[in-house]
Amino acid sequence: MHYPVLAAEAIEYLAIRPDGIYIDATSGLGGHTAEIARRLESGRVIAADRDAESLEMSKRNTAEWSDRIRFVQSNFSELAARVSETETGRVNGLLADLGVSRYQLTEPSRGFSILADGPLDMRMDRNQRLTAADLVNFTAEKAIADLIFKYGEERRARRIARAIVRARPIRSTRHLADVVERAVPRTGPLHPATRTFMAIRMAVNEEQRELDRLLESVPELVAAGGRVVIISFMSLEDRKVKESFRALAHAGRAELLTKKPVTPSDDEIRNNPPSRSAKLRAAAMV
Ligand SMILES: C[S@@+](CC[C@H](N)C(=O)[O-])C[C@H]1O[C@@H](n2cnc3c(N)ncnc32)[C@H](O)[C@@H]1O
């Protein structure tokens, strides 16, 4: 069972018009794409994702509404260009549900998983050249420490980076998880390598830069009166979304619809524990 995070809230803030054109910039397994598509009549959804395998899964999971969905493999930085090829003009709403999907996190062959062994990959788009193995094995110790500290908000980053450099070459997720676990003791319920894995994933996929590009392209993508809804899972990302929406509002280009971020209900967290850190912010373009 797949639960799209904050689905009811995302749909409410998108204020779907049956004849509207929408972009789901992170189609993933198609959960939100389906929720949008089923509310359309003559309208359309452009379902984008940088991960070709996820797009295939999204296609299968949304087959019932295939006449209303157009799939586009694209990362955020190319989205405006790719959408303009579809000749839709500016859209009535854009949704982005950031980060990685359950499928990516749990499929060992994708190399994101701490628990199951797999190649140290972590590329969302497998056409990209840089893998997690390249980053871990060929980056200077200080740069590794910095990125684990910055993206993973991991206080023990220096010790972890030193252990990684000593253990090179590291080829598998299990090997990396073990190296980190030997370097830093477990302090809570989380695996001690959780923050390190997250940081490496964010660096491999340039997630911060990609989010900046997406936020910059909002005025180009979304028409006046259209809605922008972004769900993030990390404070670094939520801060970027908040600041970008505020800047648009100051410039008179958008109206904030959420003064504080919207978070999942207790019920949703019970049914889908990974939703617990989700924060949704919405704006209307003017
Ligand atoms: C949390 S999942 C989305 C789940 C989806 N909303 C659903 O209901 O199934 C995030 C998705 O965004 C994609 N993604 C992350 N960063 C991206 C980027 N910069 N450009 C395009 N897609 C991206 C990932 O490949 C992943 O499939």
Side-chain angles (χ1 to χ4, degrees):
M1 180 70 187
H2 170 59
Y3 301 98
V5 172
L6 289 166
E9 295 83 352
I11 292 298
E12 181 194 328
Y13 281 106
L14 282 172
I16 308 276
R17 290 171 28 179
D19 62 345
I21 310 282
Y22 294 88
I23 299 174
D24 181 352
T26 53
S27 189
L29 304 180
H32 291 108
T33 305
E35 291 301 321
I36 299 171
R38 55 194 277 254
R39 289 170 170 81
L40 299 176
E41 287 165 14
S42 58
R44 294 283 174 270
V45 198
I46 299 168
D49 202 292
R50 73 201 299 193
D51 180 348
E53 284 167 47
S54 294
L55 267 189
E56 282 308 314
M57 276 186 240
S58 176
K59 228 177 253 181
R60 281 202 295 278
N61 294 341
T62 58
E64 200 177 324
W65 303 280
S66 59
D67 55 333
R68 307 171 191 177
I69 307 174
R70 181 156 186 166
F71 293 91
V72 174
Q73 188 186 355
S74 176
N75 56 20
F76 297 156
S77 38
E78 289 160 357
L79 193 59
R82 299 301 312 280
V83 169
S84 74
E85 287 163 15
T86 65
E87 294 176 5
T88 40
R90 288 195 292 167
V91 301
N92 303 102
L94 178 146
L95 171 69
D97 172 21
L98 303 174
V100 277
S101 69
R102 278 283 89 199
Y103 151 71
Q104 289 165 327
L105 266 183
T106 54
E107 168 56 45
S109 69
R110 301 301 306 261
F112 292 96
S113 172
I114 297 189
L115 301 175
D117 200 14
L120 200 50
D121 189 326
M122 301 198 196
R123 291 168 301 170
M124 292 184 195
D125 174 0
R126 297 225 228 192
N127 292 319
Q128 177 185 306
R129 282 179 56 193
L130 180 86
T131 65
D134 297 332
L135 191 139
V136 161
N137 290 312
F138 298 107
T139 306
E141 181 179 324
K142 172 152 189 327
I144 294 185
D146 288 349
L147 77 88
I148 294 175
F149 182 72
K150 186 169 155 210
Y151 297 148
E153 296 177 328
E154 167 64 85
R155 285 176 298 106
R156 302 168 298 179
R158 272 185 205 299
R159 216 187 317 159
I160 294 171
R162 195 174 320 126
I164 287 176
V165 167
R166 287 197 182 141
R168 285 168 174 178
I170 301 177
R171 296 278 173 226
S172 75
T173 53
R174 190 68 255 167
H175 187 180
L176 177 61
D178 288 347
V179 167
V180 177
E181 192 169 16
R182 278 199 296 273
V184 292
R186 191 180 278 263
T187 51
L190 283 185
H191 189 287
T194 304
R195 289 172 176 279
T196 300
F197 268 61
M198 186 175 75
I200 292 172
R201 179 204 102 200
M202 290 175 69
V204 166
N205 294 289
E206 298 189 286
E207 291 179 40
Q208 298 294 298
R209 195 184 68 107
E210 280 287 309
L211 177 57
D212 289 339
R213 294 291 101 80
L214 179 71
L215 293 168
E216 281 161 24
S217 61
V218 160
E220 206 180 321
L221 287 165
V222 184
R227 301 291 180 92
V228 187
V229 176
I230 303 197
I231 303 171
S232 55
F233 292 82
M234 293 182 48
S235 49
L236 270 179
E237 292 174 341
D238 181 55
R239 206 174 311 135
K240 275 187 192 291
V241 176
K242 178 170 82 178
E243 282 166 9
S244 160
F245 282 7
R246 280 210 181 134
L248 285 173
H250 274 297
R253 305 192 67 178
E255 182 194 336
L256 301 182
L257 302 177
T258 47
K259 297 257 163 347
K260 282 190 185 154
V262 176
T263 53
S265 64
D266 293 344
D267 257 6
E268 176 165 6
I269 295 172
R270 205 170 313 119
N271 288 327
N272 182 21
S275 71
R276 88 181 81 75
S277 43
K279 291 197 163 82
L280 177 152
R281 292 187 187 266
M285 300 306 286
V286 293

